[in-house]
Amino acid sequence: MSVAALVDRLEIALVDFNFEWSLVQMRQVVDYWYDGKSIYDMAELLNRKPDEIILLIVDFARGRVLPPRPYGLNANNRIFISKKHLRDKKDNLRRFVQDSPVYIPFIEKNFVWNDWEIKRFRDMWEADDSIIWISKQLNRDIDEVLFLIIDQAGKGFIDPRKNGLLGKDATEHDLIRQRLPF
């Protein structure tokens, strides 16, 4: 007699992304950020997916490598920084590649999702809940929810929302900062 067991299917978010960054590429991203280039310009110059650029920028922002910009990921005015300060900032990137010739942002995060988590996420996304609320409800790190958003949008399972990541909790200022040029 065989017994069938119900097993929840697992899905790995962003499995088709290249997470490896060389020191040279990371320095270029820092230069491009301060020059005011958009993520689309950076992606074209670095021959990378825009979403890969976004993940590195989020990681650098968390590590206080990059400052916020008035128009976020869009094109911005150049950020003034002294040549010495910029050189020091780029030299400090060596700490990211101490143990390896490449750096992998968010290597400690969980990219594995159960079917029920994905279904619940999609329901909350459709309800215009914020990424903050979703992460609390799913008991997941906000970065992990961001990865799932990028993954699900890339696969066409969710659509962009008028109020972006913050959903119904977004302020007018938030909407201006996250607006992407298309």
Side-chain angles (χ1 to χ4, degrees):
M1 169 167 89
S2 66
V3 176
L6 292 176
V7 178
D8 197 19
R9 194 175 68 80
L10 299 176
E11 190 170 322
I12 300 173
L14 307 179
V15 74
D16 60 337
F17 275 40
N18 177 6
F19 282 89
E20 295 181 354
W21 289 89
S22 70
L23 183 58
V24 170
Q25 289 175 322
M26 292 189 307
R27 286 179 171 170
Q28 288 173 316
V29 168
V30 170
D31 278 337
Y32 296 156
W33 185 261
Y34 279 94
D35 283 344
K37 293 194 181 336
S38 74
I39 58 158
Y40 297 108
D41 292 337
M42 290 184 211
E44 186 176 323
L45 290 165
L46 293 168
N47 197 27
R48 302 282 298 241
K49 294 177 181 178
D51 291 336
E52 293 171 356
I53 305 288
I54 290 171
L55 291 178
L56 184 66
I57 288 171
V58 168
D59 187 59
F60 278 2
R62 298 261 192 282
R64 303 205 187 281
V65 173
L66 296 175
R69 303 188 311 186
Y71 299 105
L73 301 174
N74 296 313
N76 283 259
N77 291 328
R78 188 178 191 295
I79 299 173
F80 176 77
I81 183 171
S82 72
K83 287 184 180 185
K84 182 189 179 325
H85 192 138
L86 184 60
R87 187 173 50 252
D88 291 346
K89 208 171 247 308
K90 292 192 309 189
D91 285 345
N92 286 336
L93 292 176
R94 288 190 186 282
R95 68 184 158 96
F96 288 95
V97 291
Q98 285 177 344
D99 302 325
S100 171
V102 297
Y103 174 64
I104 301 174
F106 301 110
I107 197 165
E108 73 284 355
K109 300 296 181 182
N110 183 0
F111 289 79
V112 179
W113 293 83
N114 293 308
D115 274 343
W116 67 268
E117 290 175 305
I118 293 172
K119 182 184 177 336
R120 191 160 173 222
F121 158 76
R122 288 179 188 163
D123 290 343
M124 288 187 279
W125 184 260
E126 282 297 316
D128 210 24
D129 290 330
S130 77
I131 187 174
I132 298 163
W133 174 257
I134 294 170
S135 69
K136 287 178 184 174
Q137 295 305 303
L138 294 174
N139 198 27
R140 297 290 288 254
D141 186 275
I142 197 164
D143 292 331
E144 294 169 3
V145 175
L146 175 64
F147 304 151
L148 186 61
I149 291 168
I150 293 169
D151 177 75
Q152 295 291 288
K155 293 176 180 173
F157 292 122
I158 61 170
D159 294 319
R161 304 185 304 188
K162 177 184 171 207
N163 294 339
L165 295 174
L166 296 177
K168 57 190 169 201
D169 295 341
T171 66
E172 187 61 34
H173 179 72
D174 295 329
L175 297 175
I176 291 169
R177 290 197 66 216
Q178 69 186 10
R179 200 169 290 135
L180 295 176
F182 291 120

